[in-house]
Amino acid sequence: QVRLVESGGGSVQAGGSLRLSCAASGDPDSRNCISWFRQAPGKERERLAGIYSTTGAKSTFEADPVKDRFTISQDNAKNPVYLEMNSLKPEDTAMYYCAADRVENGGQCIVRFRQADFAYWGQGTQVTVSA
């Protein structure tokens, strides 16, 4: 069983920064693809970034709408997955989630962008950006 716990959300003014953390536990082979999503009220859940991590291989990606401001990282497979968010805007206000699943390679991690593509989810952390 995989467990994901997000932290680091909060309230910040526009232009500020936050670093979200996703602490994962459980079978590492079942969570070699971890992604960050967000969902604002009335909107669909949107994937922001992902990381594929396995013995001897790691790759990361950020979605085009946020890649100039958000960065996903992980020091090693035992450490949390971080989402560094800079130059925050009021439209970044949302609940932020991390999700995990098992994939065969990094390419499969990239194409998993839907909520239904991930078996494991955290409870979310709220980010509020004021103008």
Side-chain angles (χ1 to χ4, degrees):
Q1 186 71 14
V2 173
R3 184 169 181 255
L4 304 171
V5 179
E6 303 96 333
S7 61
S11 297
V12 63
Q13 289 189 330
S17 299
L18 284 173
R19 188 176 77 160
L20 306 183
S21 176
C22 173
S25 60
D27 179 19
D29 289 337
S30 296
R31 49 179 171 90
N32 60 3
C33 173
I34 295 180
S35 285
W36 280 99
F37 285 74
R38 69 182 176 190
Q39 188 167 21
K43 295 188 177 181
E44 293 187 354
R45 197 164 291 193
E46 171 190 23
R47 189 192 63 182
L48 304 170
I51 184 166
Y52 169 73
S53 180
T54 188
T55 303
K58 182 184 290 185
S59 60
T60 63
F61 60 90
E62 291 86 13
D64 286 344
V66 300
K67 66 180 181 179
D68 292 336
R69 301 185 295 122
F70 293 5
T71 303
I72 191 170
S73 65
Q74 183 185 35
D75 292 338
N76 60 61
K78 295 184 179 180
N79 284 359
V81 173
Y82 300 104
L83 185 68
E84 185 77 33
M85 306 187 296
N86 299 311
S87 302
L88 284 163
K89 306 173 182 179
E91 51 263 44
D92 293 319
T93 296
M95 185 70 79
Y96 284 68
Y97 300 90
C98 66
D101 210 326
R102 172 183 170 81
V103 297
E104 295 301 319
N105 54 59
Q108 290 189 6
C109 191
I110 292 175
V111 299
R112 290 193 175 207
F113 62 91
R114 301 173 303 170
Q115 185 173 349
D117 291 332
F118 289 84
Y120 305 105
W121 289 84
Q123 81 290 346
T125 185
Q126 177 68 38
V127 171
T128 302
V129 184
S130 58

